[in-house]
Amino acid sequence: MYEVSYIYQYGIGTAIFVAGSVVCIRAGVLDLSDRQERRAWAMATAGLVAFAVVHALFQFVFPFTG
Amino acid sequence: MEGIEIAAIDKILVVLYFVFVFGFGSYFGRYIKNTTDFFFSGRKFSWWVVSVSMIATVVGSYSFIKYSAAGYRYGLSSSMSYLNDWFFLPLWMFAWLPIIYFTRMTSIPEYFERRFDTPTRVMAILFVAVYLIGYIGINFYTLGVALHALLGMDVMVAAGVVAVITGIYVTSGGQTAVIMTDLLQGVLLLVAGLSIFTLGFLFLGDGALLPGVVQFWDGLDESKRYGLAHFNEPPNFSFIGVFWQDAIASSFAAYFFNQGILMRFLALKSVNEGRKAIVFALAILMPIAVIAVGNAGWIGASMDGLGVIPEAYSQDPDPNKMFVIVTSILCKPGIFGLVMAALLAALMSTADTLINATSAIVVNDIWRPYIVRNRPDEYYLRVARWASIASAILGLFLVPLFMRFDSIYVAHGAFIATVTPPMAVCIVLGFLWPRFTARAAFATLLGGAVAMGVSIWFPALVEPFSHGVDPEGGFKYMRALYGLVVSGIIGVVVTFLTQPSKSAEEIVGLTIYTVREAERRFKGGEINRGPGDKLRATVRVVPPSGREEDEVDDVVHLSLHPDDLRVLGAHEGDLIFLADPRVWLGGLRAGHARVQDALGERGVVELPEDFIERNQLQPERGVVVEKLM
């Protein structure tokens, strides 16, 4: 059931993240043509992806090493 | 285990630390001229100052105890709670932060008044007050528990000493003291926490670091190597429970309506600094923090697996004592004092924020609007200081209440899970759905709280949301999901049965669809998003302008040379920021200005004496100028 934890967290979590981004873009508060806002959104997205990768390693690879 | 023998050097270090923080925090009383300074530090800090100090706030004294206990029991998955805050980030960065920043909100309950009505605000005050004061009590209690285990001190005496010191420097220096002391304490607790990890590796590797890492990993049982816990077992630490209670409910509470954390972000010089601060905190500092607070438990679990815990300690396997056990094994005199100072730092940096935030609620939501109106600001500043003292005392009185719970982690989780969902739903619907009515908001808060309370007596209500978690634990963690769903249904249904009491104009700036208008109103004109660079300028001191708009705006109006304006990318009417050139001050000596015209001398800004004094600038050093909007 450890793999289900990962799928659940990054399934629902990413859905909330993407939905939040879409709502912000449609409401006009996130303008991806604006350099500062694009950079801030890109940093947030990169952070989410980085954590998803690290958690994947600790869920599917590292527990079985050593 | 009734206390550990402490070396004299460790005791001296702790006393010196107390004295230093007390003096350092109290020093910033010189920066406090009015309630805006006391609560928001004049909106001038840089992103890194707020980021580091926020981490110190998030890490409470309970964190070392509770995450070490969880780390010992469940291994690396104890880190889940610190690494799952990403999901609401777009909504927070681009909607909620701009809403509260550009509408110059002074408190979360104030949002409820402006967006809904007075009864909803009163309900929100109750919720936020319970949330904040409860947190103060938990922090004092857990520090008392730690010091009792370390020194054999009485829990109430230990909590009382820290309450007095924290209360005094917050009363003197307000938000500026909170931010600057928390910056220092954030660094200390991260360094101390990582030191324990390093010492643990050295202990396991017989003095060699890399072999120690290998030994550490070998000592961990496979079930303790996962980053995320088992999906629905055990009931008190399943993934699904932590996900709904922490990643969703608690994370939302921390960033959307924890008054203390939001006040920290309102002390920044711009919204964009807030975006940088939150990403840096979540991406870089939180992973470091989770290692700092949880590693004693991981090291303890590995020692257990390898059978190297000394017999004297292994006879007392209470996980809540694991932090104390591991640090006392690993740390030599001097280092142990540093760790104790870090524990104190974690407590004081959280408690000072909560005390300042509670004071803001008392002044801005209770005293100023309802009890004594229309008095000079000096009067409310005095009230703010008395409220700070009262908050610390009230938090102390709550310590015995928290003594009744058998597990700190469970007590903390149950508390947050109970009060959070109705507030979270109310805020989400409030800023995302303009149709959401005042009556619906009130019904959501009241109905949600009642539903949460009822579910404590009838846990079967939570069962449909349990995801297979064993009901043995009373669904303490799964109650958050139940609360979110019930509160959401109440909010939506009541909205469709009632009519909005406020016009679209009255809620401009308070919903996501009107953030850009709020930004324009904040500036007082169209926003200049064009590129620009920073400019180093010399300062010429001039007499106070005497302009009424300078007082109203809390900014000075400046003439700048056309070439300087070109460098800045600024035009007449734009808001600019002037700061001491020393970057490491992080905006401590800085102020806001507005471009009046393009008639100034090249490379020179003329600053009135009163502006220089208010913002603690040093004219001989010059200033760095940048365009904000």
Side-chain angles (χ1 to χ4, degrees):
Chain A
M1 291 294 270
Y2 288 96
E3 66 278 11
V4 180
S5 303
Y6 181 86
I7 294 164
Y8 195 100
Q9 167 145 318
Y10 285 100
I12 293 186
T14 305
I16 294 172
F17 187 94
V18 171
S21 300
V22 170
V23 167
C24 288
I25 290 169
R26 294 184 67 166
V29 293
L30 169 55
D31 177 4
L32 292 176
S33 65
D34 180 280
R35 189 174 58 90
Q36 283 189 337
E37 291 180 8
R38 184 175 62 245
R39 185 192 287 181
W41 182 79
M43 286 192 304
T45 306
L48 175 68
V49 171
F51 274 71
V53 169
V54 171
H55 267 138
L57 292 172
F58 273 95
Q59 215 65 6
F60 302 114
V61 180
F62 293 162
F64 313 107
T65 60
Chain B
M1 201 171 70
E2 271 304 308
I4 291 164
E5 199 171 319
I6 308 293
I9 179 76
D10 293 326
K11 290 179 182 170
I12 291 169
L13 272 173
V14 168
V15 172
L16 285 178
Y17 182 73
F18 267 134
V19 172
F20 177 72
V21 172
F22 178 74
F24 186 68
S26 302
Y27 165 81
F28 294 100
R30 65 192 297 185
Y31 288 84
I32 307 301
K33 303 283 190 286
N34 51 45
T35 50
T36 306
D37 293 338
F38 192 81
F39 295 130
F40 304 109
S41 295
R43 297 176 185 262
K44 59 191 181 184
F45 282 102
S46 300
W47 63 269
W48 58 271
V49 176
V50 164
S51 201
V52 177
S53 69
M54 187 194 84
I55 290 298
T57 298
V58 170
V59 177
S61 62
Y62 62 90
S63 304
F64 283 97
I65 310 297
K66 108 176 177 185
Y67 289 104
S68 292
Y72 178 71
R73 279 189 180 120
Y74 310 114
L76 302 184
S77 59
S78 65
S79 63
M80 283 189 299
S81 308
Y82 274 51
L83 306 179
N84 57 15
D85 293 340
W86 285 92
F87 311 128
F88 291 112
L89 208 50
L91 284 176
W92 188 88
M93 290 166 80
F94 300 105
W96 187 240
L97 178 63
I99 284 173
I100 59 164
Y101 195 96
F102 293 137
T103 56
R104 299 177 195 273
M105 209 66 72
T106 59
S107 73
I108 296 306
E110 185 187 342
Y111 176 82
F112 283 80
E113 167 105 44
R114 288 162 68 173
R115 173 66 179 84
F116 306 115
D117 57 11
T118 302
T120 315
R121 180 189 204 173
V122 171
M123 184 71 79
I125 290 170
L126 285 174
F127 274 63
V128 173
V130 168
Y131 181 84
L132 289 174
I133 295 172
Y135 248 129
I136 297 175
I138 288 172
N139 269 275
F140 286 155
Y141 166 58
T142 48
L143 181 93
V145 169
L147 290 188
H148 175 71
L150 284 165
L151 306 172
M153 276 179 85
D154 180 79
V155 172
M156 283 301 290
V157 171
V161 169
V162 180
V164 167
I165 290 174
T166 313
I168 289 176
Y169 79 70
V170 174
T171 301
S172 169
Q175 181 70 232
T176 304
V178 171
I179 289 176
M180 297 311 287
T181 53
D182 286 11
L183 177 66
L184 186 84
Q185 303 198 93
V187 173
L188 174 68
L189 67 89
L190 293 180
V191 168
L194 292 181
S195 300
I196 297 171
F197 210 21
T198 309
L199 289 169
F201 291 147
L202 292 173
F203 177 86
L204 294 171
D206 284 331
L209 193 63
L210 282 179
V213 175
V214 174
Q215 281 286 87
F216 165 73
W217 196 248
D218 288 342
L220 282 182
D221 183 76
E222 186 198 305
S223 66
K224 294 183 177 178
R225 294 176 177 181
Y226 290 98
L228 302 173
H230 187 280
F231 186 69
N232 53 14
E233 292 176 0
N236 276 348
F237 198 79
S238 63
F239 160 79
I240 192 68
V242 173
F243 179 79
W244 284 106
Q245 183 249 305
D246 193 278
I248 303 299
S250 283
S251 295
F252 194 93
Y255 300 109
F256 284 76
F257 65 86
N258 181 322
Q259 173 79 15
I261 289 182
L262 284 170
M263 285 167 71
R264 196 65 53 84
F265 282 92
L266 293 177
L268 283 160
K269 68 181 176 189
S270 69
V271 165
N272 199 48
E273 292 288 295
R275 292 169 181 151
K276 289 184 201 169
I278 191 78
V279 171
F280 184 71
L282 297 190
I284 308 296
L285 298 178
M286 285 297 242
I288 298 174
V290 78
I291 294 171
V293 300
N295 78 79
W298 305 337
I299 295 284
S302 182
M303 284 176 168
D304 224 9
L306 296 167
V308 295
I309 285 194
E311 197 180 337
Y313 298 107
S314 62
Q315 287 169 353
D316 189 1
D318 179 358
N320 279 335
K321 292 180 178 170
M322 193 44 59
F323 176 75
V324 176
I325 289 172
V326 170
T327 50
S328 60
I329 292 171
L330 299 179
C331 298
K332 293 179 177 152
I335 301 291
F336 194 62
L338 179 73
V339 171
M340 284 172 56
L343 202 64
L344 293 170
L347 169 91
M348 292 199 284
S349 58
T350 305
D352 60 11
T353 302
L354 295 168
I355 290 169
N356 189 245
T358 309
S359 171
I361 298 286
V362 170
V363 171
N364 296 323
D365 291 300
I366 300 171
W367 208 270
R368 203 191 299 251
Y370 301 121
I371 296 180
V372 180
R373 297 179 190 176
N374 304 319
R375 295 287 292 271
D377 195 65
E378 297 81 33
Y379 168 79
Y380 294 110
L381 182 57
R382 279 201 303 278
V383 175
R385 292 191 151 127
W386 279 110
S388 299
I389 294 169
S391 306
I393 293 171
L394 195 55
L396 256 186
F397 276 121
L398 286 178
V399 170
L401 179 71
F402 289 105
M403 286 177 172
R404 293 175 57 190
F405 288 85
D406 59 353
S407 161
I408 293 166
Y409 191 93
V410 173
H412 186 235
F415 175 76
I416 299 299
T418 302
V419 301
T420 300
M423 281 288 281
V425 167
C426 225
I427 288 176
V428 166
L429 293 179
F431 79 85
L432 287 181
W433 193 23
R435 173 76 174 79
F436 187 48
T437 67
R439 287 185 178 176
F442 188 84
T444 302
L445 291 179
L446 184 61
V450 169
M452 293 297 284
V454 169
S455 74
I456 293 173
W457 298 105
F458 301 102
L461 289 170
V462 186
E463 190 141 18
F465 307 91
S466 69
H467 288 68
V469 173
D470 193 322
E472 185 194 341
F475 298 127
K476 283 192 175 72
Y477 294 99
M478 296 312 298
R479 186 167 290 116
L481 174 57
Y482 155 81
L484 290 169
V485 172
V486 172
S487 302
I489 291 171
I490 293 172
V492 172
V493 169
V494 178
T495 292
F496 284 120
L497 296 175
T498 54
Q499 290 298 316
S501 57
K502 294 203 170 181
S503 66
E505 174 58 27
E506 285 176 297
I507 59 169
V508 165
L510 304 172
T511 67
I512 190 171
Y513 305 101
T514 52
V515 167
R516 295 298 190 195
E517 179 55 26
E519 194 176 3
R520 279 189 285 275
R521 291 183 184 188
F522 178 86
K523 181 189 173 183
E526 281 304 310
I527 306 301
N528 175 0
R529 298 186 197 281
D533 292 318
K534 291 182 181 177
L535 172 78
R536 181 81 183 253
T538 54
V539 172
R540 182 177 298 144
V541 183
V542 297
S545 69
R547 293 169 55 139
E548 200 177 310
E549 60 265 39
D550 284 8
E551 295 292 324
V552 174
D553 238 3
D554 199 25
V555 298
V556 65
H557 287 70
L558 296 179
S559 297
L560 291 174
H561 189 274
D563 289 347
D564 293 344
L565 287 176
R566 250 190 303 282
V567 172
L568 293 169
H571 312 300
E572 286 178 24
D574 283 353
L575 287 177
I576 57 176
F577 186 73
L578 304 103
D580 188 294
R582 291 168 291 179
V583 176
W584 55 269
L585 284 173
L588 182 63
R589 296 173 185 270
H592 294 265
R594 189 183 294 279
V595 178
Q596 178 177 269
D597 51 45
L599 299 172
E601 187 179 332
R602 188 174 183 172
V604 176
V605 290
E606 294 187 339
L607 297 181
E609 287 168 354
D610 55 341
F611 177 83
I612 289 171
E613 196 216 332
R614 196 165 61 243
N615 296 292
Q616 302 277 320
L617 290 167
Q618 295 176 319
E620 67 278 9
R621 291 183 183 276
V623 287
V624 171
V625 187
E626 67 177 298
K627 180 192 73 184
L628 291 181
M629 56 165 52

